[in-house]
Structure formats: structure tokens, C-alpha cells
Amino acid sequence: GENVEQHPSTLSVQEGDSAVIKCTYSDSASNYFPWYKQELGKRPQLIIDIRSNVGEKKDQRIAVTLNKTAKHFSLHITETQPEDSAVYFCAAILFSGGYNKLIFGAGTRLAVHP
Amino acid sequence: KAGVTQTPRYLIKTRGQQVTLSCSPISGHRSVSWYQQTPGQGLQFLFEYFSETQRNKGNFPGRFSGRQFSNSRSEMNVSTLELGDSALYLCASSLKAGGPGNEQFFGPGTRLTVL
């Protein structure tokens, strides 16, 4: 069925360390994988996305990698800072009834300790 | 451009009642998606509307319905409310129906509490 699994559910790191969040998806036809950051009490906001024709994308301290064969994609945050503390959601486009819909993972609560 | 707006921001209802939530997308955006967010279940897709037509639907009971108007504003209705319907309801708009590059912009959400 339609599913995006996200791990870990919680992640605690020291400031300056790296954080990695992993997702797997079920629909091999998925071709778009956005990542959203949701700070406490705020709306989710897109931080980076990747399309299926690209294996890796970087934006400053954030990178996303995609392995289409294994149906895995991951978010990497380097040199973490306290303001990176938030819930991060991965998502994948699934094709249903001829149209696309975005399916989200369950989220990862990242805590960066000073 | 103004962002996605949702009204009301907070709502308290009792079991059995019905509720209507409203979402105004970013100007020019034609696609509106609705999500239910609960602490244990993350973001659950409810449905997506594009050009006044429901394009996709998640796995929610028929008590959850929606519509989109010609100006792309969307409403979501929940009838016969249950305690488990308490959640943050988020809408998101995008230029076109969901797909690569069609970034979804989220509204602030409506927090519904069912007593």
C-alpha cells in the first residue's frame, strides 16, 4: 500500500554534530521527495527537495540523497545548531487514480543540545 | 504575496456536531490539499482539490468532505464529530496539482478540539 516510513522517530545530537534521517517509500513510480521542517507551534516549511533523476542535492548544511533502487532517501544536516531543533518530515509523491498525492512520513523530532 | 490563510485558528466542538474549516490559498495557486496532524500519526493526507475538483482522497471516513470554489478557496467539513477528530488541520496550496517542483505551502492550521 501507500507508505513512507521514517526513522528515527526521535534524534538527539550535540551542537556541531551531524544528524541523519532516513525514509523509505513503497511506490517505485514516485519521483519527487521533499523534506519539511516544522518548528514548535509553526507550520511545516519546505527545506529541500530532490527529484528522481538526481542522486544528491546540497544546500549549505543540508543535503539529501536518493537511492531509487533501494527506494531510500535521507536527510543529512551537518554542523547542527540549536535552531535546527524541530520535527522533520519526509514525503514522497505517489500516483493514485491518475493524479499525484504527497504522502508524509511520521516525522523525526530532532533535538540539538548546546 | 500573502501566504496561505486558514480560519478559524481554534475551534472547540462537542461530539456529534459538525464543523467547517476554511482555507484561502496563495493568490494564483489552484491546488489545495488538506492534512490532519496528530501527535502520534504525523501528517495524514485527507484530500486534494484542483480547479474545483477533488483529485485525490486519503483513507478517511465519509464524514470528512471538502469542496473548492472558483476562486480556489477551499472548505473542509467534518460531520458527526468524534473525540478522535481532535487534531490540527492543515491546508497547503501549490500552483498546480501535486508533483515535482510544485512546492506545497502550508497554512497555520486550525486546531480543532472535540469534547
Side-chain angles (χ1 to χ4, degrees):
Chain A
E2 305 163 349
N3 193 33
V4 176
E5 292 189 1
Q6 183 171 347
H7 299 282
S9 57
T10 59
L11 182 58
S12 183
V13 300
Q14 290 296 125
E15 182 177 1
D17 287 350
S18 294
V20 180
I21 302 170
K22 299 181 179 181
C23 289
T24 60
Y25 57 97
S26 57
D27 186 352
S28 57
S30 297
N31 62 358
Y32 175 61
F33 308 91
W35 285 87
Y36 285 81
K37 175 184 179 183
Q38 186 176 27
E39 297 177 57
L40 189 62
K42 296 187 177 180
R43 70 193 76 187
Q45 292 197 303
L46 181 73
I47 55 171
I48 195 168
D49 56 16
I50 191 168
R51 302 188 189 194
S52 60
N53 58 348
V54 175
E56 183 176 6
K57 183 177 178 181
K58 288 184 180 179
D59 183 3
Q60 300 182 339
R61 297 184 298 107
I62 294 173
V64 58
T65 58
L66 172 64
N67 182 331
K68 282 218 74 179
T69 303
K71 293 190 280 188
H72 289 169
F73 58 112
S74 300
L75 177 72
H76 304 253
I77 306 174
T78 58
E79 300 172 25
T80 54
Q81 301 166 3
E83 50 265 38
D84 294 331
S85 297
V87 178
Y88 290 81
F89 293 96
C90 64
I93 285 286
L94 296 180
F95 297 91
S96 174
Y99 300 106
N100 301 330
K101 62 179 176 180
L102 204 55
I103 302 297
F104 284 84
T108 296
R109 185 173 298 279
L110 173 65
V112 181
H113 301 286
Chain B
K1 277 185 180 178
V4 179
T5 58
Q6 290 185 246
T7 57
R9 293 293 310 280
Y10 302 92
L11 206 49
I12 299 176
K13 292 285 187 179
T14 56
R15 280 181 298 175
Q17 287 187 306
Q18 75 162 21
V19 67
T20 298
L21 312 181
S22 180
C23 173
S24 292
I26 291 171
S27 177
H29 284 196
R30 297 173 62 192
S31 172
V32 174
S33 296
W34 288 90
Y35 299 88
Q36 181 194 66
Q37 186 173 32
T38 55
Q41 297 295 321
L43 283 161
Q44 301 289 310
F45 174 79
L46 280 155
F47 26 66
E48 177 184 20
Y49 285 88
F50 181 77
S51 294
E52 302 178 64
T53 302
Q54 187 181 90
R55 295 300 178 99
N56 259 307
K57 193 176 191 311
N59 299 322
F60 279 81
R63 300 185 296 108
F64 291 81
S65 63
R67 58 177 176 169
Q68 187 179 34
F69 302 95
S70 58
N71 61 358
S72 293
R73 188 177 71 85
S74 177
E75 286 183 347
M76 189 192 95
N77 184 275
V78 188
S79 61
T80 320
L81 284 166
E82 300 177 0
L83 295 178
D85 296 333
S86 295
L88 180 68
Y89 290 87
L90 290 159
C91 79
S93 77
S94 61
L95 271 174
K96 298 184 285 186
N102 293 324
E103 177 184 353
Q104 293 201 357
F105 294 85
F106 282 87
T110 294
R111 184 163 297 283
L112 171 65
T113 301
V114 182
L115 302 176

